Amino acid sequence: MQRFNKHIIQENETLKSIAALYRLDADTLKLFHNNHCEVKDMILIELTGQQELFVPRTAIADTEKLVRFGRGNSLIFQPANSFCRFGVIINIEKGSCKNELKYETSVRWMKTEKKLHFFEIDRTSNLFLNEEEVNDIADVLAYKTSKVLYPLQISVDEHGKFNAVENLSVFKERWPAVKEEVYKEFDGETVDRYCGKIEKIIFDPDAISLYLKNDYFIRTLFLGIYQSFGQHYQAEGTETFPILNNPVEPKYKIKLEIDPLKDEYDLVCITGEGKLNEERTVHDFINNSPFSLMIDDHPVVNDKGSFRIRYYLNGETQRPESMYLECSIMLEEEKKISVVVAAIPEL
């Protein structure tokens, strides 16, 4: 992100008049310019032939372009009464193998209680695999049995971060009807085995909770970006993502940055990049270990993985308009998950 703007000095302008244009003190403007310009363009007392001035990025005449922040340059999560439909594309790559999932979903705010926000999520379209509607029996079974999960109710904390699935007990009540629908269309040992596996998950609260925690769409939408970005509009921290089927998700050390100005489309832009930051080795991850099998006072950090995000929020409501998340990790081959989410405009 560019940290300054440039003002082209016009004839008869003075340091004081330019400072007034941007609602700045003249000494503040001079100090900022001198900290960014070349030595030959520094201002001692007054302008002496400079062609342009460096001004703070947030010092603009049109204050409507400024992002609305709370205390500590924090974004405030205010989802009350919101409803949005999203298009979702998920790419899963492992070595040369690549699959793309595509579907549409809706997200409706339900209530706020004890500093948690509650949402209802529903699938609103068929599932497409590699641009084709699923038709392989395994894929069709996966899609049809997944209907037992929707509508799905979840809770999210005050930073917009996924907390928990809240309607686990309902899945057992829905299952008989879903199972009956499946058996009207399919039969045989394959279906019996598949439904048996689903039942084991549904009737085990810990298993179903872990399964839903691994939902890439939910984890992307509710990553927890509503936080303080500090004086320099940056935040650092550790993020996890369910790129692997492991109860302890890989950790990534990331840096987030928010542009304090809305873009030309009146959107708020947040970007982030990071690297894997784990004591677990490639061997540990391949063997699904939840912790490092090596005991060392000075462990070597495994950084063979990356994390990237780009979020665009509505400039007025600060609710998500579009998101891109990419997460990778090196195993025997690189595994990469990328998630694209875009709001579908209401007709």
Side-chain angles (χ1 to χ4, degrees):
M1 180 189 72
Q2 184 175 299
R3 303 188 183 281
F4 54 79
N5 294 324
K6 291 182 180 180
H7 174 87
I8 306 302
I9 300 172
Q10 306 297 315
E11 188 176 356
N12 297 324
E13 282 189 320
T14 65
L15 181 64
K16 187 175 181 180
S17 69
I18 296 171
L21 179 65
Y22 293 106
R23 300 179 177 85
L24 294 173
D25 175 79
D27 288 337
T28 299
L29 176 57
K30 179 171 68 174
L31 179 62
F32 185 88
H33 171 81
N34 287 347
N35 284 336
H36 290 83
C37 71
E38 295 182 16
V39 174
K40 64 182 180 63
D41 291 323
M42 293 181 70
I43 302 170
L44 298 180
I45 299 175
E46 187 48 80
L47 301 179
T48 55
Q50 288 87 356
Q51 299 297 309
E52 59 186 18
L53 279 184
F54 289 91
V55 298
R57 183 158 175 77
T58 53
I60 56 174
D62 182 7
T63 57
E64 292 296 316
K65 297 294 290 182
L66 293 172
V67 173
R68 186 177 70 257
F69 288 109
R71 193 171 183 177
N73 283 336
S74 59
L75 283 182
I76 309 300
F77 188 43
Q78 296 178 313
N81 302 313
S82 62
F83 175 84
C84 192
R85 293 175 61 235
F86 293 100
V88 184
I89 299 175
I90 300 171
N91 284 293
I92 304 172
E93 301 178 48
K94 191 170 183 181
S96 60
C97 181
K98 180 177 179 179
N99 286 296
E100 179 190 81
L101 298 173
K102 187 182 296 185
Y103 60 90
E104 294 179 4
T105 189
S106 66
V107 179
R108 179 174 67 89
W109 177 87
M110 298 173 61
K111 63 179 180 178
T112 298
E113 190 175 281
K114 297 180 180 179
K115 293 187 177 182
L116 291 174
H117 297 279
F118 293 79
F119 292 86
E120 182 178 83
I121 299 173
D122 203 2
R123 290 277 176 89
T124 58
S125 77
N126 290 335
L127 179 68
F128 290 82
L129 175 63
N130 299 327
E131 297 293 343
E132 295 183 0
E133 192 169 352
V134 293
N135 50 30
D136 180 84
I137 184 170
D139 295 329
V140 173
L141 282 172
Y143 172 67
K144 288 190 174 294
T145 54
S146 71
K147 291 181 178 180
V148 75
L149 305 176
Y150 297 97
L152 176 67
Q153 294 178 7
I154 67 169
S155 59
V156 174
D157 72 16
E158 58 190 332
H159 300 294
K161 193 175 186 66
F162 171 75
N163 177 63
V165 177
E166 297 292 338
N167 61 335
L168 290 173
S169 61
V170 175
F171 304 148
K172 290 184 286 187
E173 299 171 12
R174 294 176 184 165
W175 176 241
V178 172
K179 185 177 181 180
E180 182 180 354
E181 183 181 333
V182 169
Y183 273 98
K184 283 181 180 178
E185 191 169 345
F186 304 100
D187 57 23
E189 292 184 8
T190 299
V191 182
D192 293 339
R193 286 197 302 270
Y194 198 91
C195 287
K197 290 179 180 178
I198 296 297
E199 287 178 357
K200 285 183 179 179
I201 295 175
I202 291 173
F203 287 85
D204 182 342
D206 291 335
I208 190 65
S209 182
L210 179 61
Y211 174 81
L212 291 168
K213 184 184 176 185
N214 291 346
D215 186 293
Y216 298 134
F217 163 70
I218 293 174
R219 295 293 297 276
T220 297
L221 181 64
F222 297 113
L223 188 69
I225 58 171
Y226 294 88
Q227 58 178 284
S228 172
F229 286 86
Q231 180 181 358
H232 300 292
Y233 306 102
Q234 294 180 340
E236 294 186 5
T238 299
E239 189 58 66
T240 67
F241 198 74
I243 188 170
L244 301 176
N245 185 23
N246 191 310
V248 180
E249 298 171 359
K251 298 192 299 289
Y252 296 81
K253 189 174 182 180
I254 65 170
K255 176 184 286 186
L256 297 178
E257 187 171 49
I258 186 169
D259 192 332
L261 297 185
K262 302 172 191 176
D263 69 9
E264 64 219 86
Y265 304 105
D266 200 36
L267 298 174
V268 180
C269 180
I270 301 171
T271 58
E273 290 192 357
K275 301 286 287 184
L276 186 69
N277 188 47
E278 274 280 356
E279 292 184 11
R280 284 177 288 179
T281 65
V282 171
H283 181 78
D284 293 332
F285 284 121
I286 291 173
N287 287 280
N288 204 31
S289 175
F291 52 84
S292 174
L293 299 178
M294 298 291 292
I295 300 176
D296 195 329
D297 291 335
H298 304 286
V300 176
V301 174
N302 177 6
D303 63 357
K304 305 303 182 191
S306 62
F307 191 96
R308 290 199 302 130
I309 66 164
R310 182 173 288 268
Y311 281 45
Y312 290 98
L313 312 181
N314 182 286
E316 181 62 30
T317 66
Q318 297 190 352
R319 296 170 189 158
E321 291 283 343
S322 65
M323 291 144 278
Y324 175 77
L325 183 150
E326 179 184 289
C327 182
S328 73
I329 189 169
M330 181 57 69
L331 304 173
E332 291 173 330
E333 299 177 297
E334 183 183 46
K335 183 176 182 182
K336 180 188 295 184
I337 305 289
S338 63
V339 185
V340 179
V341 179
I344 301 173
E346 294 296 324
L347 299 177

